[in-house]
């Protein structure tokens, strides 16, 4: 069953992925400022600890200054406590930043996919949507966390550079010059890493789509013995993911090696120069201890900065994938100047095909050509272009929400969602509605309620896999009856039912939909016999119309086609 879903999620500027990234950050700027502040406090105060340790060592070496030594030890302890508390809260806030950003991306992607309606089937694959709402959203969140951590890393490096410059210009110069060079060298890997990560994302989406296809059609595959074929398909897709990921991992491993090597060179240089200065008597023992502390501590902010480059690269790649999804528009856009049809029951007319559906009647359409059997319901429901009018108003001039509210198409392969029987039958739809009990009885699906001790709490699994094909079809029909649209289009609503059950549906459907416009696209004689008006379509045109008995008597094409339908009905299980 196809149904609209208005996208009420606030829409970002879609000019570029970078703008989208900034839009997400702007929506949680308070959290980001809080996280950056805590990271600066945590890392900045921690960088002061070596200086305090050096002063304490100098006080101890000087002798007779126990009070000064104790004060410096106390100061180091206080700074350590402050840094620890700030680190704990910085981590808590970073989790909030990551989850908030990921949730915002998920809302954007899922909301946009829901708003695309039928377009999503033709433009996206299931695996891509799953990846975008899961892996890619997490990457964007981690990138924002990395930005906050980068602020703390920069603050601590600045503090250490100032302290080193004050004590030894040569040592300060090593930090001031070495840190930018290190970050620039690591950043040189960003562009190739982005390209490879995009390929990994594409390959992963393809593999997920194959897996989704297998899960959806497992019952059919087992029935025809096709498990090995799809297993081979998934093996090829997964191997493509593995190969692409390995190539990406090589680039990432090289980057990680540079993250260790280059900061290490800076640290070794600082330590070596500090040791030489102490040996020459240019610095005190306490200052030497401080320099060793600086050298050991510098590895932390430099590694954090390098990790931030990786995370930001990955986040930008993910933002581009999200941006690509959000720029997909509906195949049928909202009309520039929308109109509304008259209230109440109105007729539906396809001027191209010459098909007229009279208001308040049960009309059947018989399509002799398979292409027409696909095109006619799509045109009448507004999913395909054509000169089709509802109450005299062209469908392409109707707001999408209004069109979906008033015209509802139930596909032959209607989708059922996981939940309970009550949730499946009672979707959130304003307006009139048929009681669920009556809908189940009309669809000959009341056994779904009475045949299970759980009653309305009976679980319905994803895609209705816990039900038989006939039960799924009857439940989809009952759900459509509960919705009670102005115009209900039923595409082969009894194709999976046995003759006895189909007869029950044919007998009860006219009464439940009395006075409402209902269109049956079928070749079933049982349903055609109950229709008030029957239209025969061939070659994209209505070639005959009347009621079932008159067409049987006067039109050989109709008689032959419906005869085949009767034969198919007779052999259904």
């Amino acid at each position: 069953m196809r149904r609209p879903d208005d996208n009420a999620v606030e829409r970002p500027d879609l000019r570029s992925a970078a703008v989208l990234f900034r839009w997400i950050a702007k929506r949680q700027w308070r959290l980001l400022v809080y996280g950056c502040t805590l990271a600066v406090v945590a890392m900045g105060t921690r960088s002061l600890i070596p200086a305090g340790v050096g002063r304490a060592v100098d006080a101890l070496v000087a002798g007779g200054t126990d009070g000064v030594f104790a004060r410096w030890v106390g100061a180091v302890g206080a700074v350590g406590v402050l840094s620890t508390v700030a680190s704990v809260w910085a981590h808590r806030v970073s989790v909030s930043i990551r989850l908030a950003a990921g949730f915002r991306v998920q809302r954007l992607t899922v909301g946009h996919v829901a708003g695309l309606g039928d377009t999503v089937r033709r433009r996206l694959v299931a695996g891509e949507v799953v990846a975008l709402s899961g892996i890619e959203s997490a990457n964007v969140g981690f990138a924002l966390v990395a930005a906050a951590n980068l602020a703390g890393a920069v603050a601590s490096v600045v503090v250490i550079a100032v302290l080193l410059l004050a004590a030894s210009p040569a040592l300060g110069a090593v930090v001031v010059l070495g840190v930018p060079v290190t970050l620039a060298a690591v950043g040189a890997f960003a562009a190739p890493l982005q390209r490879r990560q995009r390929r990994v994302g594409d390959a992963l989406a393809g593999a997920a789509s194959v897996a989704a296809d297998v899960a959806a059609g497992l019952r059919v595959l087992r029935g025809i013995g096709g498990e090995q074929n799809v297993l081979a398909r998934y093996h090829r897709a997964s191997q493509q993911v593995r190969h692409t990921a390995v190539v990406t991992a090589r680039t990432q491993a090289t980057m990680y090696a540079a993250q260790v090597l280059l900061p290490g060179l800076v640290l070794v240089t600082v330590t070596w120069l500090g040791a030489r200065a102490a040996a020459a008597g240019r610095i005190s023992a306490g200052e030497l201890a401080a320099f060793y502390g600086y050298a050991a501590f510098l590895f932390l902010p430099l590694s954090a900065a390098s990790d931030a480059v990786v995370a930001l690269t990955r986040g930008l790649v993910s933002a581009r994938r999200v941006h690509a999804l959000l720029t997909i528009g509906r195949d049928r856009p909202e009309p520039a100047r929308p109109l509304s049809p008259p209230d109440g029951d109105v007729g539906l007319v396809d001027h191209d095909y010459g098909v007229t559906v009279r208001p308040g009647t049960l009309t059947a359409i018989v399509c002799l050509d398979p292409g027409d059997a696909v095109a006619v319901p799509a045109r009448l429901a507004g999913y395909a272009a054509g000169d089709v009018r509802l109450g005299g108003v062209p469908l392409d001039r109707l707001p999408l929400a209004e069109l979906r509210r008033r015209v509802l198409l139930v596909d032959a392969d209607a989708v059922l969602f996981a939940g309970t029987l009550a949730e499946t039958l009672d979707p959130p739809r304003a307006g009139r509605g048929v009681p669920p009990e009556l809908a189940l009885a009309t669809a000959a699906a009341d056994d779904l309620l009475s045949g299970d001790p759980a009653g309305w709490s009976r679980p319905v699994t994803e895609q209705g896999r816990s039900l038989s094909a006939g039960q799924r079809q009857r439940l989809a029909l009952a759900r459509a009856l509960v919705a009670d649209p102005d115009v209900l289009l039923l595409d082969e609503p009894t194709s999976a039912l046995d003759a006895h059950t189909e007869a029950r549906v044919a007998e009860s459907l006219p009464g439940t939909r009395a006075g409402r416009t209902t269109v049956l696209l079928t070749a079933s004689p049982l349903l055609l016999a109950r229709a008030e008006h029957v239209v025969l379509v061939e070659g994209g045109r209505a070639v005959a119309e009347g009621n079932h008995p008159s067409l049987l008597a006067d039109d050989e094409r109709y008689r032959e086609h419906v005869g085949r339908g009767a034969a198919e009905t007779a052999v259904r299980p």
Side-chain angles (χ1 to χ4, degrees), residues 445-472:
D446 39 4
D447 61 303
L448 294 174
L449 179 62
S450 60
D452 193 300
W456 290 111
S457 299
R458 172 177 180 165
V460 177
T461 58
E462 181 187 1
Q463 298 286 356
R465 293 192 180 98
S466 58
L467 307 175
S468 67
Q471 287 175 321
R472 289 197 298 272

Side-chain angles (χ1 to χ4, degrees), residues 361-375:
T361 62
L362 179 62
T363 302
I365 300 177
V366 179
C367 297
L368 301 183
D369 301 328
D372 290 334
V374 174

Side-chain angles (χ1 to χ4, degrees), residues 246-498:
V246 168
V247 173
T248 303
R250 288 172 184 157
T251 303
Q252 197 160 333
T254 305
M255 176 183 283
Y256 285 148
Q259 285 181 247
V260 176
L261 175 63
L262 298 177
L265 292 176
V266 175
L267 305 186
V268 169
T269 303
V270 170
T271 304
W272 182 71
L273 290 176
R276 286 180 60 85
R282 293 194 298 272
I283 59 175
S284 66
E287 289 175 323
L288 177 61
F291 288 165
Y292 280 122
Y294 295 145
F297 174 76
L298 266 177
F299 185 81
L300 180 61
L302 289 178
S303 297
S306 300
D307 289 340
V309 172
V310 176
L312 288 169
T313 300
R314 199 175 283 156
L316 186 57
V317 171
S318 296
R320 285 174 178 162
R321 292 177 64 84
V322 173
H323 174 264
L325 168 67
L326 295 179
T327 53
I328 296 176
R330 288 166 167 163
D331 290 342
R332 182 191 182 281
E334 288 283 357
R337 291 178 295 174
L339 301 175
S340 294
D343 293 331
D345 295 319
V346 291
L348 191 62
V349 180
D350 187 335
H351 289 282
D352 296 332
Y353 273 65
V355 174
T356 299
V357 177
R358 299 167 186 168
T361 62
L362 179 62
T363 302
I365 300 177
V366 179
C367 297
L368 301 183
D369 301 328
D372 290 334
V374 174
V376 169
R379 290 169 58 88
L380 293 179
Y383 290 106
D387 186 7
V388 183
R389 306 190 176 216
L390 178 67
V393 178
L395 293 188
D396 58 7
R397 296 292 302 277
L398 292 175
L400 283 173
E402 175 77 2
L403 174 59
R404 301 292 171 245
R405 182 182 67 83
R406 302 193 65 171
V407 180
L408 180 63
L409 169 62
V410 181
D411 287 319
D413 57 345
V415 175
L416 297 177
F417 298 97
T420 64
L421 181 61
E423 291 168 342
T424 301
L425 282 176
D426 191 21
R429 190 183 183 101
R432 301 177 295 261
V434 173
E437 296 84 356
L438 177 58
L440 285 175
T442 302
D446 39 4
D447 61 303
L448 294 174
L449 179 62
S450 60
D452 193 300
W456 290 111
S457 299
R458 172 177 180 165
V460 177
T461 58
E462 181 187 1
Q463 298 286 356
R465 293 192 180 98
S466 58
L467 307 175
S468 67
Q471 287 175 321
R472 289 197 298 272
Q473 191 169 54
R474 287 181 284 148
L475 188 55
L477 174 58
R479 181 178 61 181
L481 294 173
V482 170
D484 197 28
D486 292 343
V487 179
L488 177 59
L489 305 171
L490 301 175
D491 187 5
E492 294 292 352
T494 60
S495 59
L497 307 184
D498 59 72

